[in-house]
Amino acid sequence: MGKPTGFLEIERRDRGYEKPEARLKHWREFVQPLGLDKSREQASRCMNCGIPFCHTGCPVNNQIPDWNDLVYRDQWKTALENLHSTNNFPEFTGRICPAPCEAACTLNIVETPVTIKTIECEIIDRGYSEGWVAPQLAPAKTGKKVAVIGSGPAGMACSQQLARAGHDVTLFEKNDRIGGLLRYGIPDFKMEKHHIDRRMKQMEAEGVSFRTGVEVGKDVTLDQLRGEYDSVVLSGGAEQPRDLDLPAHNYEGIHFAMDFLTQQNKRNAGDAEDVAAPNGSTISAKGKHVVVIGGGDTGSDCIGTSNRHGAASVVQLEIMPAPPEKENKALTWPNWPLKMRTSSSQEEGVDRDFAVLTKRAIGTDGKIEAIECVKVDWEGGKLREIPGSEFQLKADLVLLAMGFVGPRKAPLIEGLDVDPRGNVKADMTAYATSQSGVYACGDMRRGQSLVVWAIREGRQCAHAVDKALMGKTDLPR
Ligand SMILES: Cc1cc2nc3c(=O)[nH]c(=O)nc-3n(C[C@H](O)[C@H](O)[C@H](O)COP(=O)(O)OP(=O)(O)OC[C@H]3O[C@@H](n4cnc5c(N)ncnc54)[C@H](O)[C@@H]3O)c2cc1C
Ligand code: SF4
């Protein structure tokens, strides 16, 4: 604890945003860094609690009080080594993590948590600008071969850890670029993609081979890989979107969020303006009345993307009732509280409505023109339509952002045991699936989640694979 009175003397300050009018004109990140001196000042607010709840609130168990202290003492390089010891990709989490650590921070009891995520981001950004992030080569090769399938944060973390343990790792990805949802789900304005390219270069230097454009189960079978490699890790994500049982669902103008978001991410990456979405169509929100169904992260990303296209209006519907403006800390802290949150994309312009059920698509000549909705209440946890509350919303584009129900079933995971939710069955110690030598981690194992959980599972799975291959492991869990 660098400064015992820091939390008493210094007010919480966090990164600012470029103004909405300005940031809506481009696709770049718009968060304005705090800078080294202000970050040091903020780090001095950390109380180095006897029980650091931030540390357990963080899924990768970042040693937050330790690196807060190091930052305050201007020992940035040591802070980076500490941060990297628990998190392979702090530049991802420093940008897009919802920061459960800050919800768990003791100072959050009085609404002024340490700006942990901002300090994390400053440490790694400084690390890159100083040239401190270098490949970490394995001291010796093991001669073992591992195939990792799916290059999202779970597959990337798992591959990097296994390569550092000396294994020959090949990372298979069905898309044309690596990164999973970091690449094609999350928009550039939340995280620019050069962050992934930079890590990919580091991983290549550490010995990871990348095979993009290869769908395992179709272009090569799981059995073929099992024959060729000593172990196979499945980190294919939870890609099956939740659908809406809507009469006239097949109207032109109704799309899954990921079709819309992937297409824009491809345009931003330099692909043709009319690049087709995975469903074969070219989708634009320009001049359209957009309705986003689903109130989570994916819905927010659709709002930010629609507004950058120049949508005429954007409405977001959520089936659940509006959460409370403020949580009851006595009941929720140090856990992640349910409360009203406004994302930066929602701040840029959207009408939000809660407790709304979408009933029917309305259109002519096969094109969507409006949707019919009804207000609902949730008495005793049961959904009930409120009679007489039906209404229509004008809609030229409807984006379905209601989350994901699990991994796509065929052909990769058929033949493997799944849990009751349809995810690949494996525990969080051995990460072993029902087939010998085959492991699973990330959203494919735990279901739709967060980048930080994917990194944690990738790291822990690498530990389990290394231990099974070598009989012991030095990789951290
Ligand atoms: C739009 C959107 C926004 C989000 N925003 C946030 C956010 O702000 N913060 C946050 O923490 N989390 C966010 N999330 C969640 C987060 O992105 C995921 O939890 C995380 O990416 C899961 O990582 P993963 O590696 O398990 O899977 P994924 O990132 O889904 O990667 C899986 C990869 O496997 C590949 N694959 C699948 N099957 C095969 C196969 N058969 N052969 C080869 N490759 C295959 C896929 O193409 C994909 O690239 C968001 C999710 C979405 C959809
Ligand atoms: S809970 Fe907050 S104040 Fe306490 S050690 Fe963690 S970051 Fe510092």
Side-chain angles (χ1 to χ4, degrees), residues 71-133:
V71 164
Y72 173 66
R73 294 175 194 278
D74 217 6
Q75 295 177 28
W76 291 83
K77 198 171 180 198
T78 317
L80 179 64
E81 282 160 17
N82 188 312
L83 179 54
H84 266 150
S85 73
T86 54
N87 185 352
N88 294 59
F89 313 122
E91 68 277 26
F92 302 164
T93 43
R95 285 177 168 76
I96 55 170
C97 189
C101 54
E102 289 189 22
C105 173
T106 312
L107 283 171
N108 187 37
I109 296 174
V110 289
E111 299 278 350
T112 57
V114 174
T115 47
I116 300 169
K117 177 174 158 184
T118 292
I119 295 165
E120 173 183 43
C121 201
E122 200 71 46
I123 296 172
I124 179 63
D125 285 359
R126 170 137 197 221
Y128 270 113
S129 66
E130 297 279 354
W132 294 334
V133 186

Side-chain angles (χ1 to χ4, degrees), residues 148 154-155 158 233-237 426 431 439-446 454 457-459 461-462:
V148 178
C158 189
V233 175
L234 306 178
S235 49
Y431 286 87
Y439 301 79
C441 61
D443 280 9
M444 186 160 245
R445 192 202 70 79
R446 69 184 291 119
E457 293 219 350
R459 290 172 63 85
C461 183

Side-chain angles (χ1 to χ4, degrees), residues 45-49 52-54 64-65 68 104-107 114 116:
R45 295 185 62 246
C46 176
M47 305 185 292
N48 197 3
C49 303
F53 289 96
C54 56
I64 294 160
N68 276 337
C105 173
T106 312
L107 283 171
V114 174
I116 300 169

